């Protein structure tokens, strides 16, 4: 309709006026614009006929529009507020704008783009309205709420006068927008508030928009009637939530729908095509022609062969199986000129948990990684030494924050065994990363800094020689601790592999006399550090004792002067212990297996970056309480998950949720990952009072590729495999990180071996290399862009097992009920098949 009018009248003013006519909702304005169009078209007709007698005569507007039904083009004549079809002519252009980035993809890629785009569309809109479902003061969506507020303010300047006798009929006069004084005019609207719950206004907005206008609101003010009764139920927050709460499930868990094309296509070389005309010569030219012409033959400087240069040397060619990069070149995006490495080692994969569950269909059990049940408070006399060792921020995190409501204890983070086990299934020792469907991810030194606040700079935590008489030495050192009189005598140290936890808890800060000597305070600090090292930072195979190799570190911190406490790289040591725990756990299938790593780091890392098992926490006002209690240092990003007073779980948090976490990780897409949770905007919105200085003090070491060391554990750090977590473009393919450490050094173990100086000599080169870790760093290529990531799944997915599916060995048939919103059991059955 509009296009025909534009062809009929080329005047821009007429076109804009016709648009205004189509969108009018009041009859008087509609008639006024119609009359103006008749006048302007008559002038246009006169000007056109006088300029050229041969020009086509334009019809007047009333004569041209009389045969077109008004309900098809005028908003004022809608039938009961119902629109006629799609009131636009450019919906095809809208679809092209949305699909512009997927035009070059194959059909399967287009389907994936539509599916994931719709899932994101539904998820974002449901999350936007779900925050207001529990708020009784919010009745409608944000757009309607803003509309009602604007109309309510406008209704304050209206004058409503009751005229009806049997019905509530009002005459509402509106203030004129432009004229003032004696020339002022007021627009008057007639409003009727029916006894049957309906409302009508001469401005027609309630009928067309199903919303009360400002005139209705002015009348409701006089009658003391709630105007929200005249808002359509389709605008309520419940209706909006019911629209977007439907689940969309992927199809990739069933099987792969892409298959390689085995048929070979031979494309002729266009350079050999015979053109028109006679060939210049039939003789095949060789090197003699170049010599006769005075040109020297090319000789390669790399291999010495005559006939090519070093740029075209066959030794630099990549194998035919090498994948092309984003620009189509086989060398584009490669960190090193090496053949494409395989991400899965067949030897390692045969005993991996992912192979057991996805291929052998074994029912795997969860790991045991329970945190300690006791609660240890910090003593103010320890703070100077803990600050010098770089452990104060982490100790505040473990302590748990302010006291809870109604005198409850300090809330602490409970380790989720199911979540940790699901992450272990995704860990690959070949690359030291989690293999997710959207790419490789891993906890790095950046996560350690922001979540735990541990120092990264300092000497590596290498092995120490502990004498065989360590137990007697401990009992002698702690024999003179001045404890409270009512606690009784000290219990003897039990027969354990290291310092026993029950024995260490006898020397808590609350067990000391208020005016005790400095020696007892230092021994209490030493016992606390052993508890912190053995049961929070570094877990061993036992649950009742600390590894005895940590005794020298705790002793040196406790005995050092307050202004000369030695500094070790505790952050890199915790990450190394976590890597070793993941590498060992990914091949265990025992029902009582323990995870020997920092489970606290893994869980906080999952909360920050993945939308799996994440609790909904309310930390509003917590930072002020934290700073009011501890003025010496600030919180970390992990503190916001550990210390909030109230916590509500977003996903189901019943027992034995391991299958649910596995399925959630199988369906993980790039849009579900928070790739940069530590950006300035994210930190400012969640921690407006700022973070601890330990979170950013060692920023230069986040990109190091030096091997991480803890005791005899030597683990490579792999930031170059997870560059998108730093906001940079991910290069691919990259060599396996396990090749940076020799297999003999990576498999060092103390099982059956005495604690001697042999270990110190083997690990000493890696300890010394950590002193120069700031020199061996990864240099980012470019910031991350969607264009760079488009070709990454094409290279990544065929080389890894993206969908590690949980299969129940004894499935229970699903019984349908009337409350089933979606047939979820179909997806579970297909996943098991």
């Amino acid at each position: 309709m509009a296009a025909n009018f534009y062809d009929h009248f080329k005047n821009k003013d007429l076109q804009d006026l016709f648009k205004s006519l189509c969108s009018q909702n009041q009859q008087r304005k509609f008639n006024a614009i119609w009359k103006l169009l008749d006048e302007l078209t008559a002038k246009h007709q006169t000007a056109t006929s006088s300029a050229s007698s041969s020009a086509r005569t334009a019809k007047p507007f009333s004569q041209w529009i009389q045969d077109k039904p008004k309900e098809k083009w005028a908003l004022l004549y809608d039938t009961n507020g119902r629109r006629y079809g799609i009131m636009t002519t450019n919906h095809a252009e809208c679809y092209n704008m949305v699909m512009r980035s997927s035009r070059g993809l194959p059909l399967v890629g287009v389907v994936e783009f539509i599916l994931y785009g719709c899932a994101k569309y539904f998820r974002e809109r449901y999350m936007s309205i779900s925050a207001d479902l529990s708020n009784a003061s919010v009745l409608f969506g944000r757009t309607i709420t803003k509309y009602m507020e604007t109309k309510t303010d406008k209704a304050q300047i209206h004058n409503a006068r009751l005229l009806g006798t049997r019905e509530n009929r009002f005459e509402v006069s509106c203030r004129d927008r432009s004229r003032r004084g004696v020339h002022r005019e007021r627009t008057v609207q007639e409003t009727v508030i029916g006894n049957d719950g309906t409302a009508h206004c001469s401005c027609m907005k309630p009928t067309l928009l199903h919303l009360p206008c400002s005139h209705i609101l002015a009348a409701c003010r006089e009658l003391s009637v709630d105007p929200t009764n005249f808002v359509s139920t389709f605008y309520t927050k419940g209706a909006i939530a019911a629209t977007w709460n439907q689940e969309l499930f992927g199809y990739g868990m069933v099987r792969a729908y892409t298959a390689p094309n085995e048929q070979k296509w031979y494309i002729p070389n266009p350079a050999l095509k015979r053109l028109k005309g006679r060939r210049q010569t039939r003789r095949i030219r060789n090197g003699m022609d170049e010599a006769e012409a005075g040109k020297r033959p090319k000789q390669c400087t790399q291999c010495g062969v005559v006939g090519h240069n070093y740029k075209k040397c066959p030794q630099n060619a990549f194998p035919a199986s090498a994948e092309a990069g984003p620009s189509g070149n086989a060398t584009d995006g490669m960190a090193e000129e090496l053949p494409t490495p395989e991400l899965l080692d067949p030897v390692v994969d045969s005993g991996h948990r992912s192979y057991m569950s996805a291929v052998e269909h074994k029912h795997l059990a969860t790991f045991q990684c329970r945190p300690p049940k006791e609660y240890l408070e910090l003593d103010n006399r320890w703070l100077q030494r803990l600050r010098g060792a770089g452990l104060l921020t982490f100790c505040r995190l473990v302590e748990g924050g302010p006291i809870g409501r109604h005198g409850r204890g300090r809330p602490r983070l409970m380790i989720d065994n199911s979540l940790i086990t699901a992450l272990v299934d995704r860990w690959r020792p070949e690359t030291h990363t989690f293999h997710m469907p959207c790419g490789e991810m891993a906890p790095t030194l950046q996560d350690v800094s922001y979540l735990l606040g541990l120092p990264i700079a300092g000497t590596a935590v290498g092995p120490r020689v502990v004498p065989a008489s360590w137990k007697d030495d401990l009992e002698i050192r702690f024999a003179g601790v001045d404890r409270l009189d009512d606690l009784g005598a000290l219990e003897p140290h039990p027969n354990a592999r290291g310092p026993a936890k029950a024995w260490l808890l006898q020397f808590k800060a609350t067990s000391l006399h208020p005016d005790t000597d400095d020696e007892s305070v230092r021994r209490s600090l030493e016992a606390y550090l052993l508890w912190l090292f053995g049961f929070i930072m570094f877990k061993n195979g036992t649950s009742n004792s600390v590894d005895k190799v940590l005794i020298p570190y705790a002793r040196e911190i406790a005995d050092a002067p307050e202004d000369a406490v030695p500094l070790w790289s505790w952050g890199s040591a915790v990450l190394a212990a976590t890597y070793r725990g993941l590498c060992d756990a990914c091949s265990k299938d025992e029902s009582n297996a323990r995870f020997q790593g920092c489970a606290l780091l893994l869980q906080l890392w999952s909360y920050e970056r993945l939308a799996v098992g994440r609790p909904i926490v309310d930390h509003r006002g917590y930072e002020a309480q934290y700073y009011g209690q501890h003025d010496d240092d600030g919180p970390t990003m992990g503190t916001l998950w550990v210390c909030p007073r109230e916590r509500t779980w977003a996903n189901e948090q019943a027992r034995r949720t391991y299958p649910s976490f596995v399925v959630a990780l199988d369906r993980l897409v790039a849009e579900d990952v928070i790739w940069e949770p530590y950006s300035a905007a994210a930190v400012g919105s969640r921690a407006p009072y700022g973070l601890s200085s330990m979170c950013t003090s060692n920023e230069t070491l986040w990109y190091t590729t030096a091997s991480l060391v803890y005791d005899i554990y030597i683990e490579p750090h792999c930031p170059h495999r997870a560059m998108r977590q730093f906001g940079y473009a991910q290069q691919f393919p990259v060599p396996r990180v396990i090749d940076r450490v020799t297999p003999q050094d990576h498999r060092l173990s103390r099982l059956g071996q005495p604690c001697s100086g042999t270990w110190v000599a083997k690990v000493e080169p890696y300890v010394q290399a950590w002193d120069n870790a700031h020199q061996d760093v990864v240099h980012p290529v470019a910031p991350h862009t969607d264009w760079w990531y488009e070709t990454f799944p094409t290279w990544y997915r065929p080389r890894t097992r993206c969908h590690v599916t949980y299969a129940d060995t004894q499935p229970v048939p699903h019984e349908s009920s009337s409350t089933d919103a979606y047939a979820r059991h179909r997806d579970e059955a297909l996943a098991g098949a």
Side-chain angles (χ1 to χ4, degrees), residues 37 42 47 74 134 143 163 209 322 344 408 425 444 451 464 471 513 563 594-595 600 676 686 688 692 702 768 793 812:
L37 278 173
S134 59
T143 303
L163 299 179
L209 305 179
L344 301 184
R408 299 173 183 173
D425 293 346
T444 61
L451 295 176
R464 293 292 186 92
K471 184 170 63 174
H513 275 291
D563 56 348
R594 295 181 180 272
F595 176 73
L600 176 63
E676 299 179 65
R686 296 176 55 196
S692 170
W702 290 348
Q768 295 179 357
V812 179

Side-chain angles (χ1 to χ4, degrees), residues 25 126 151 230 267 441 500 508 512 687 778 795 798:
N25 59 289
Y126 179 73
K151 295 302 180 183
F230 305 112
I267 302 176
M441 302 181 65
K508 296 187 297 184
L512 300 179
V778 178
W795 169 84

Side-chain angles (χ1 to χ4, degrees), residues 483 487 489-492 501-508 511:
R483 304 195 309 156
L487 296 179
L490 289 175
E491 296 290 337
K501 180 172 66 173
W503 187 82
L504 292 174
L505 294 179
Q506 299 179 106
F507 309 100
K508 296 187 297 184
S511 302

Side-chain angles (χ1 to χ4, degrees), residues 280-300:
Q280 297 296 328
T281 178
R282 293 180 179 271
R283 184 169 62 86
I284 301 176
R285 298 184 179 273
N286 53 22
M288 184 180 298
D289 298 283
E290 296 181 359
E292 292 177 356
K295 299 180 180 179
R296 295 185 57 185
K298 298 179 180 179
Q299 183 177 6
C300 180

Side-chain angles (χ1 to χ4, degrees), residues 72-134:
K72 292 187 177 182
W73 59 270
L75 177 67
L76 182 62
Y77 290 89
D78 282 349
T79 306
N80 297 327
R82 294 191 295 267
R83 298 290 182 268
Y84 181 86
I86 300 178
M87 303 295 288
T88 181
T89 58
N90 63 342
H91 51 276
E93 286 77 4
C94 297
Y95 295 146
N96 289 334
M97 180 61 67
V98 176
M99 302 292 294
R100 68 184 186 276
S101 60
S102 62
R103 296 173 182 173
L105 298 179
L107 182 59
V108 176
V110 175
V111 173
E112 289 183 355
F113 177 83
I114 297 174
L115 173 64
Y116 297 144
C118 291
K120 181 180 179 181
Y121 193 86
F122 273 70
R123 183 172 59 256
E124 290 178 350
R125 278 151 182 78
Y126 179 73
M127 293 302 295
S128 177
I129 195 63
S130 62
D132 299 330
L133 292 178
S134 59

